[in-house]
Amino acid sequence: MKRQFYIVFLYFCVCSSMLFAQNRWAINDNGSISWNIKDRLPHYDHIEMSGLKVSTVLRYGVNKDGSFELNKSMVWPMLRTIPNNTHASLMRRSAWNAPEMVTVNGLSLLNEKVNKITLDGTMTVESSFVLPGNTHITLTRVIFPSVSNPAIYEKYILKNTGTASASIEIPASRSVINTDPAKGVNGSYKLISEIIGFTARQLQPNEEIIFYASISGYKTGENEIKPDIEKELQARKSLIDKLWNNLILETPDTEINTMFAFAKIRGSESIYDTKGGLLHGPGGESYYAAIWANDQAEYINPFFPYLGYETGNASALNSFKHFARFMNPAYNKIPSSIIAEGLDTWGGAGDRGDAAMVAYGAARYALAKGDKAEAEELWPLIEWCLEYCRRQVNDKGVVASDADELENRFPAGKANLCTSSLYYDALISAAYLGKDLHKPSVQLSTYEKQAKTLRKNIEEYFGAKVEGFDTYQYYEGNDVLRSWICIPLTVGIYDRKDETIRALFSPRLWTKDGLLTQAGSETYWDRSTLYALRGVYACGETEKATEYLKFYSNQRLLGEHVPYAIEAWPEGSQRHLSAESGLYCRVITEGLFGIRPTGLKSFKLTPRLPVEWDTMNLRNVKAFGSSFDIKISRKNNKIDINICAGSKTLLNKKINEGETVTVKLP
């Protein structure tokens, strides 16, 4: 017996050391992550960062000889191109690298060795150079998008780390491109690349010099901005600090805490100041100045109230207002996407269950936001979407649709599990919301009865044995496991939870990259993995959920492609689409902490404290019109819940593992 234990123990030690050895990145004390370059070269990666008027995908890496590689893809969502469709943001890729124009003692900066790359909402690259004559120079690059200007900025710090003075020449440089006017909605656009802070001087030992670079884009006639890049950098850092200092996750697992902190950045930064108001966009060099019923309404909008990010909440409300424009008395379908700064629509996959997505998201957002006036404004949209779904109910009692959010990439039949599950949850949320808005009791009772009937029909229509698992067929006749069988778990339907979880984490679906969309394929989408983790927590399988959350967080935060959740593979080359990060955050708020809004000032709380943790906290929660902390701890085999606002205790209660409490805020 001891020998068997030793073998098992040794196996886990070896696995742990392999996992640690594979981590390319490490977490710093200040919450940033760094790659200390030592070996395993070359290595290349990409990361997206965004501001209100620009986005950039930095394709970066370190070559085998230790030099830095950088190619910047710039996107200007409001510089629209022709045809003005979903993908019509002006985009340019550039390998322009300002340090290549700098000379030291009359020579170019050669023989670069990158020492460290750090990510914290900006990118910082630290390099060293050894030049002839034993001249030693270090270069620090800081790259980031402007918070509010249509520009990508770069800060450079050159330092003489040698023992003799060095002659530094930083050139004046300005390049202007006027784009083809026939290809722009507003004619020609002006793209300016320039070096700011040109000089020529002697740099003494331990002295440093700072200069900057900027790449910006303008419509014809717009005034060119003369930026103070230090202030721009401070504005970016202030935004990150604001996101990191609200809705703070504290657990014994530093990797999960840090992944959550980074997810708040990516989930929040991808909001664009368009003609149609603030629009949250997925990004990925494809999806800007537009909104979708899934990415925005369903995935991220229900999260924003918890973070208390005003721009995020404003973008959520604005997106619902855009969808509300398409309500009609004939109950024709709403568009799947509103594009081109709100001026056009897209619905190429037909009805994807979009009304269910919008009803689900709008009701959950309104409840969590806790603003009665906003909720009243959204109520007609929620009513309309629910009625639309009711009219799509087929003769088996589930909701028919042309496709699902994967838009026919994989079969979804004539009625899919996802659409009916979202409609079910939306009915429940509407009943909760309607009570606080004093809507007719008959109407709310009808929603509750419809939800009860729909739950029964979901079981009868979708419940099935698939590949030997008593789980769900995703659509009628589906005989291959699909990742979206996790959806019922996220909306409180646990009838088939054991076999569903077994199927999700079986070799047929689970891979080192997360869940396959369909068993036997090579395609995986993080969104289904994150939905599954949220659902597995929600139904009480805490240890299994935590095991896989830890694995996923480690891989995405510290592995080979960091530091955010991704969209899909092989499609999109693992783009950092923004709403997926919102889904990661919801694994924590709705899964780990089990928050389920039940009113404008109330919610159910079902904390799932892992056995190996003694405490977990969610501080500075901004939902339900309040600001409060949730503190969970284990004491004498009980779960202690403490909810406080400042020094005021709002709730202090001990419960058994798995119990739910109702929280009412003042």
PDB file of all heavy atoms in Angstrom, residues 406-423:
ATOM      1  N   LEU A 406     -22.894  29.564 -33.364  1.00  0.00           N
ATOM      2  CA  LEU A 406     -21.785  29.125 -34.213  1.00  0.00           C
ATOM      3  C   LEU A 406     -22.093  29.275 -35.700  1.00  0.00           C
ATOM      4  O   LEU A 406     -21.253  28.960 -36.547  1.00  0.00           O
ATOM      5  CB  LEU A 406     -21.398  27.684 -33.883  1.00  0.00           C
ATOM      6  CG  LEU A 406     -20.737  27.483 -32.509  1.00  0.00           C
ATOM      7  CD1 LEU A 406     -20.357  26.034 -32.313  1.00  0.00           C
ATOM      8  CD2 LEU A 406     -19.524  28.378 -32.338  1.00  0.00           C
ATOM      9  N   GLU A 407     -23.295  29.738 -36.017  1.00  0.00           N
ATOM     10  CA  GLU A 407     -23.652  30.188 -37.370  1.00  0.00           C
ATOM     11  C   GLU A 407     -23.366  29.135 -38.442  1.00  0.00           C
ATOM     12  O   GLU A 407     -22.730  29.409 -39.454  1.00  0.00           O
ATOM     13  CB  GLU A 407     -22.910  31.504 -37.683  1.00  0.00           C
ATOM     14  CG  GLU A 407     -23.299  32.623 -36.739  1.00  0.00           C
ATOM     15  CD  GLU A 407     -22.329  33.791 -36.763  1.00  0.00           C
ATOM     16  OE1 GLU A 407     -21.363  33.739 -37.552  1.00  0.00           O
ATOM     17  OE2 GLU A 407     -22.529  34.743 -35.986  1.00  0.00           O
ATOM     18  N   ASN A 408     -23.827  27.906 -38.150  1.00  0.00           N
ATOM     19  CA  ASN A 408     -23.748  26.789 -39.100  1.00  0.00           C
ATOM     20  C   ASN A 408     -22.339  26.243 -39.301  1.00  0.00           C
ATOM     21  O   ASN A 408     -22.107  25.463 -40.229  1.00  0.00           O
ATOM     22  CB  ASN A 408     -24.355  27.180 -40.453  1.00  0.00           C
ATOM     23  CG  ASN A 408     -25.841  27.489 -40.335  1.00  0.00           C
ATOM     24  OD1 ASN A 408     -26.588  26.736 -39.708  1.00  0.00           O
ATOM     25  ND2 ASN A 408     -26.273  28.599 -40.922  1.00  0.00           N
ATOM     26  N   ARG A 409     -21.398  26.640 -38.472  1.00  0.00           N
ATOM     27  CA  ARG A 409     -20.087  25.987 -38.524  1.00  0.00           C
ATOM     28  C   ARG A 409     -20.234  24.515 -38.156  1.00  0.00           C
ATOM     29  O   ARG A 409     -19.500  23.661 -38.627  1.00  0.00           O
ATOM     30  CB  ARG A 409     -19.109  26.670 -37.567  1.00  0.00           C
ATOM     31  CG  ARG A 409     -18.726  28.094 -37.952  1.00  0.00           C
ATOM     32  CD  ARG A 409     -17.882  28.695 -36.833  1.00  0.00           C
ATOM     33  NE  ARG A 409     -17.380  30.028 -37.119  1.00  0.00           N
ATOM     34  CZ  ARG A 409     -18.043  31.155 -36.846  1.00  0.00           C
ATOM     35  NH1 ARG A 409     -19.269  31.087 -36.334  1.00  0.00           N
ATOM     36  NH2 ARG A 409     -17.508  32.321 -37.102  1.00  0.00           N
ATOM     37  N   PHE A 410     -21.167  24.258 -37.213  1.00  0.00           N
ATOM     38  CA  PHE A 410     -21.521  22.903 -36.818  1.00  0.00           C
ATOM     39  C   PHE A 410     -23.049  22.805 -36.852  1.00  0.00           C
ATOM     40  O   PHE A 410     -23.739  23.810 -36.634  1.00  0.00           O
ATOM     41  CB  PHE A 410     -21.003  22.587 -35.413  1.00  0.00           C
ATOM     42  CG  PHE A 410     -19.514  22.407 -35.347  1.00  0.00           C
ATOM     43  CD1 PHE A 410     -18.675  23.509 -35.232  1.00  0.00           C
ATOM     44  CD2 PHE A 410     -18.951  21.147 -35.393  1.00  0.00           C
ATOM     45  CE1 PHE A 410     -17.300  23.357 -35.182  1.00  0.00           C
ATOM     46  CE2 PHE A 410     -17.571  20.978 -35.337  1.00  0.00           C
ATOM     47  CZ  PHE A 410     -16.744  22.085 -35.230  1.00  0.00           C
ATOM     48  N   PRO A 411     -23.600  21.627 -37.098  1.00  0.00           N
ATOM     49  CA  PRO A 411     -25.055  21.502 -37.200  1.00  0.00           C
ATOM     50  C   PRO A 411     -25.755  21.840 -35.891  1.00  0.00           C
ATOM     51  O   PRO A 411     -25.239  21.566 -34.806  1.00  0.00           O
ATOM     52  CB  PRO A 411     -25.265  20.037 -37.591  1.00  0.00           C
ATOM     53  CG  PRO A 411     -24.003  19.336 -37.207  1.00  0.00           C
ATOM     54  CD  PRO A 411     -22.912  20.339 -37.359  1.00  0.00           C
ATOM     55  N   ALA A 412     -26.930  22.457 -36.006  1.00  0.00           N
ATOM     56  CA  ALA A 412     -27.719  22.823 -34.825  1.00  0.00           C
ATOM     57  C   ALA A 412     -29.185  22.428 -34.973  1.00  0.00           C
ATOM     58  O   ALA A 412     -29.989  22.754 -34.099  1.00  0.00           O
ATOM     59  CB  ALA A 412     -27.601  24.327 -34.565  1.00  0.00           C
ATOM     60  N   GLY A 413     -29.533  21.743 -36.050  1.00  0.00           N
ATOM     61  CA  GLY A 413     -30.900  21.274 -36.225  1.00  0.00           C
ATOM     62  C   GLY A 413     -31.897  22.410 -36.362  1.00  0.00           C
ATOM     63  O   GLY A 413     -31.544  23.557 -36.651  1.00  0.00           O
ATOM     64  N   LYS A 414     -33.144  22.085 -36.134  1.00  0.00           N
ATOM     65  CA  LYS A 414     -34.212  23.084 -36.222  1.00  0.00           C
ATOM     66  C   LYS A 414     -34.561  23.685 -34.863  1.00  0.00           C
ATOM     67  O   LYS A 414     -35.283  24.676 -34.780  1.00  0.00           O
ATOM     68  CB  LYS A 414     -35.454  22.455 -36.852  1.00  0.00           C
ATOM     69  CG  LYS A 414     -35.243  22.028 -38.302  1.00  0.00           C
ATOM     70  CD  LYS A 414     -36.501  21.425 -38.896  1.00  0.00           C
ATOM     71  CE  LYS A 414     -36.277  21.019 -40.339  1.00  0.00           C
ATOM     72  NZ  LYS A 414     -37.505  20.408 -40.936  1.00  0.00           N
ATOM     73  N   ALA A 415     -34.054  23.073 -33.807  1.00  0.00           N
ATOM     74  CA  ALA A 415     -34.216  23.600 -32.447  1.00  0.00           C
ATOM     75  C   ALA A 415     -33.019  23.112 -31.648  1.00  0.00           C
ATOM     76  O   ALA A 415     -32.732  21.910 -31.633  1.00  0.00           O
ATOM     77  CB  ALA A 415     -35.514  23.111 -31.820  1.00  0.00           C
ATOM     78  N   ASN A 416     -32.299  24.020 -31.010  1.00  0.00           N
ATOM     79  CA  ASN A 416     -31.082  23.624 -30.295  1.00  0.00           C
ATOM     80  C   ASN A 416     -31.196  23.871 -28.796  1.00  0.00           C
ATOM     81  O   ASN A 416     -31.993  24.696 -28.341  1.00  0.00           O
ATOM     82  CB  ASN A 416     -29.856  24.331 -30.878  1.00  0.00           C
ATOM     83  CG  ASN A 416     -29.897  25.830 -30.670  1.00  0.00           C
ATOM     84  OD1 ASN A 416     -29.646  26.323 -29.567  1.00  0.00           O
ATOM     85  ND2 ASN A 416     -30.230  26.572 -31.729  1.00  0.00           N
ATOM     86  N   LEU A 417     -30.398  23.156 -28.046  1.00  0.00           N
ATOM     87  CA  LEU A 417     -30.428  23.194 -26.586  1.00  0.00           C
ATOM     88  C   LEU A 417     -30.092  24.568 -26.035  1.00  0.00           C
ATOM     89  O   LEU A 417     -30.664  25.005 -25.036  1.00  0.00           O
ATOM     90  CB  LEU A 417     -29.450  22.151 -26.049  1.00  0.00           C
ATOM     91  CG  LEU A 417     -29.299  22.016 -24.539  1.00  0.00           C
ATOM     92  CD1 LEU A 417     -30.619  21.596 -23.894  1.00  0.00           C
ATOM     93  CD2 LEU A 417     -28.196  21.003 -24.210  1.00  0.00           C
ATOM     94  N   CYS A 418     -29.174  25.275 -26.682  1.00  0.00           N
ATOM     95  CA  CYS A 418     -28.721  26.572 -26.182  1.00  0.00           C
ATOM     96  C   CYS A 418     -29.859  27.587 -26.183  1.00  0.00           C
ATOM     97  O   CYS A 418     -30.104  28.269 -25.181  1.00  0.00           O
ATOM     98  CB  CYS A 418     -27.554  27.070 -27.021  1.00  0.00           C
ATOM     99  SG  CYS A 418     -26.791  28.577 -26.395  1.00  0.00           S
ATOM    100  N   THR A 419     -30.572  27.704 -27.297  1.00  0.00           N
ATOM    101  CA  THR A 419     -31.635  28.709 -27.410  1.00  0.00           C
ATOM    102  C   THR A 419     -32.725  28.485 -26.374  1.00  0.00           C
ATOM    103  O   THR A 419     -33.166  29.426 -25.702  1.00  0.00           O
ATOM    104  CB  THR A 419     -32.225  28.694 -28.831  1.00  0.00           C
ATOM    105  OG1 THR A 419     -31.192  29.041 -29.761  1.00  0.00           O
ATOM    106  CG2 THR A 419     -33.360  29.688 -28.963  1.00  0.00           C
ATOM    107  N   SER A 420     -33.163  27.246 -26.214  1.00  0.00           N
ATOM    108  CA  SER A 420     -34.226  26.974 -25.248  1.00  0.00           C
ATOM    109  C   SER A 420     -33.759  27.211 -23.816  1.00  0.00           C
ATOM    110  O   SER A 420     -34.524  27.695 -22.971  1.00  0.00           O
ATOM    111  CB  SER A 420     -34.734  25.539 -25.414  1.00  0.00           C
ATOM    112  OG  SER A 420     -35.490  25.410 -26.596  1.00  0.00           O
ATOM    113  N   SER A 421     -32.493  26.892 -23.522  1.00  0.00           N
ATOM    114  CA  SER A 421     -31.964  27.117 -22.172  1.00  0.00           C
ATOM    115  C   SER A 421     -31.894  28.607 -21.848  1.00  0.00           C
ATOM    116  O   SER A 421     -32.234  29.035 -20.735  1.00  0.00           O
ATOM    117  CB  SER A 421     -30.584  26.474 -22.033  1.00  0.00           C
ATOM    118  OG  SER A 421     -30.651  25.077 -22.198  1.00  0.00           O
ATOM    119  N   LEU A 422     -31.453  29.413 -22.811  1.00  0.00           N
ATOM    120  CA  LEU A 422     -31.390  30.860 -22.589  1.00  0.00           C
ATOM    121  C   LEU A 422     -32.781  31.452 -22.415  1.00  0.00           C
ATOM    122  O   LEU A 422     -32.992  32.335 -21.567  1.00  0.00           O
ATOM    123  CB  LEU A 422     -30.670  31.539 -23.760  1.00  0.00           C
ATOM    124  CG  LEU A 422     -29.181  31.221 -23.935  1.00  0.00           C
ATOM    125  CD1 LEU A 422     -28.643  31.874 -25.204  1.00  0.00           C
ATOM    126  CD2 LEU A 422     -28.374  31.673 -22.723  1.00  0.00           C
ATOM    127  N   TYR A 423     -33.741  30.977 -23.197  1.00  0.00           N
ATOM    128  CA  TYR A 423     -35.123  31.443 -23.063  1.00  0.00           C
ATOM    129  C   TYR A 423     -35.665  31.083 -21.686  1.00  0.00           C
ATOM    130  O   TYR A 423     -36.331  31.904 -21.029  1.00  0.00           O
ATOM    131  CB  TYR A 423     -35.969  30.818 -24.162  1.00  0.00           C
ATOM    132  CG  TYR A 423     -37.454  31.112 -24.106  1.00  0.00           C
ATOM    133  CD1 TYR A 423     -37.946  32.376 -23.803  1.00  0.00           C
ATOM    134  CD2 TYR A 423     -38.383  30.099 -24.380  1.00  0.00           C
ATOM    135  CE1 TYR A 423     -39.316  32.631 -23.762  1.00  0.00           C
ATOM    136  CE2 TYR A 423     -39.755  30.346 -24.348  1.00  0.00           C
ATOM    137  CZ  TYR A 423     -40.208  31.610 -24.033  1.00  0.00           C
ATOM    138  OH  TYR A 423     -41.561  31.860 -23.995  1.00  0.00           O
TER     139      TYR A 423
END
